[in-house]
Amino acid sequence: MDIAGSAALVTGAASGLGAATAAALAARGATVYGLDLDKAVAAAGPLPEGVRLLAADVTDEDQVREALAALDADGAELRLAVNCAGIAPSARILGRKGPHDLDLFRTVLNVNLLGTFNVMRLAAEAIARHEPDENGQRGLVVNTASIAAFEGQVGQIAYAASKAGVAGMTVTAARDLAQFGIRVVTVAPGIVDTPMMAGFGEEVRAGLAASVTFPQRLARPEEYARLVTMIVEHDYLNGETIRMDGALRMAPR
Ligand SMILES: NC(=O)c1ccc[n+]([C@@H]2O[C@H](COP(=O)([O-])OP(=O)(O)OC[C@H]3O[C@@H](n4cnc5c(N)ncnc54)[C@H](O)[C@@H]3O)[C@@H](O)[C@H]2O)c1
């Protein structure tokens, strides 16, 4: 699918992978509508040309519908949705203070899994309204899992469950949406140098970099963004979760 001239929705666009993706898509001629929480939108710095940020919580049906209505009002034809919004708090099933907090588990699943699903279903509805291209394609959804979906570390139980859910939806979503000419592809990044990772000290980050097979460094947000642009342009990629991890296989801790 052509990026230039299309409209894209990118969630989590105020930071990290979402911000890099929004910038990369805009640089290739897309009109990008980024969604993020209102406090993140308020704190965002200057945006690249072609990127607009809208405040919306991905878990909230009305807020996502409102954002899609803003696109419609601009006359933008949505072709692409990229789900980057996510959270990664850590807690063990059983820790010193007792069992994993159930509300925390619920919150992680709500943002990472339900939020991704909510945006996917509403974006698919919007994409399905437009005419297909000469190949019968109307657009696509790119979701973000994590290699924690396959080998979550100690303390990642809620995160791993949520990301396994995202990976697990992929082929079913591609099958559900095939009749509308909409592809669904998931990216499972390894460790990417974003604000989500900034909380870890230099020593931990160096240790993480050393654990990567090759190249022995953290991935760059721009590398995730480049993969998204490749997926958009590659019409035969569908229903698959692609690892982007430098051959890293996570150790237990
Ligand atoms: N950084 C990594 O190493 C890594 C690895 C694997 C997967 N991921 C996944 O990639 C995605 C992006 O991560 P990142 O590193 O860019 O994180 P980040 O913290 O830099 O950015 C995440 C963005 O999502 C937004 N967000 C959180 N909850 C939201 C909600 N309910 N509604 C709307 N926006 C919300 C945040 O405000 C933030 O701007 C996440 O899903 C994360 O799990 C990241």
Side-chain angles (χ1 to χ4, degrees):
M1 206 193 72
D2 283 340
I3 294 175
S6 61
L9 188 75
V10 179
T11 74
S15 177
L17 304 187
T21 302
L25 292 169
R28 284 166 174 262
T31 305
V32 181
Y33 292 77
L35 298 195
D36 212 305
L37 295 172
D38 47 8
K39 61 177 193 293
V41 171
L47 299 169
E49 207 183 313
V51 179
R52 184 177 156 195
L53 272 186
L54 303 170
D57 184 327
V58 294
T59 67
D60 187 297
E61 167 156 20
D62 293 344
Q63 291 182 28
V64 175
R65 280 195 186 280
E66 249 175 62
L68 287 165
L71 249 107
D72 265 351
D74 286 353
E77 280 196 6
L78 187 69
R79 296 286 174 186
L80 166 66
V82 187
N83 273 300
C84 289
I87 54 172
S90 115
R92 297 182 188 199
I93 300 175
L94 184 58
R96 275 190 215 99
K97 291 181 187 156
H100 196 294
D101 185 76
L102 207 48
D103 277 338
L104 178 64
F105 192 86
R106 237 180 238 123
T107 300
V108 176
L109 256 79
N110 198 35
V111 175
N112 293 356
L113 181 54
L114 182 137
T116 296
F117 178 69
N118 187 35
V119 171
M120 178 160 66
R121 76 189 177 109
L122 297 176
E125 182 188 40
I127 295 169
R129 274 193 228 115
H130 306 306
E131 288 301 314
D133 66 13
E134 63 280 12
N135 302 311
Q137 183 171 206
R138 287 192 167 81
L140 72 153
V141 179
V142 178
N143 295 325
T144 310
S146 161
I147 61 169
F150 313 109
E151 63 256 11
Q153 294 188 294
V154 164
Q156 287 193 312
I157 190 71
Y159 186 71
S162 69
K163 295 302 189 177
V166 173
M169 288 197 293
T170 307
V171 80
T172 307
R175 287 171 168 173
D176 268 7
L177 297 177
Q179 62 175 306
F180 304 104
I182 299 172
R183 292 185 287 131
V184 181
V185 177
T186 295
V187 178
I191 313 167
V192 194
D193 201 1
T194 68
M196 192 178 257
M197 299 305 300
F200 297 101
E202 242 347 282
E203 207 176 311
V204 175
R205 288 154 54 87
L208 288 170
S211 69
V212 182
T213 307
F214 185 81
Q216 268 195 350
R217 60 170 173 78
L218 305 192
R220 302 177 185 116
E222 296 72 27
E223 290 172 319
Y224 170 91
R226 188 156 10 117
L227 181 53
V228 173
T229 60
M230 285 166 60
I231 292 166
V232 177
E233 289 171 342
H234 199 309
D235 291 348
Y236 210 70
L237 284 176
N238 193 13
E240 178 60 316
T241 298
I242 303 170
R243 293 180 70 124
M244 189 200 79
D245 63 4
L248 169 64
R249 298 296 178 268
M250 287 283 208
R253 64 188 77 226

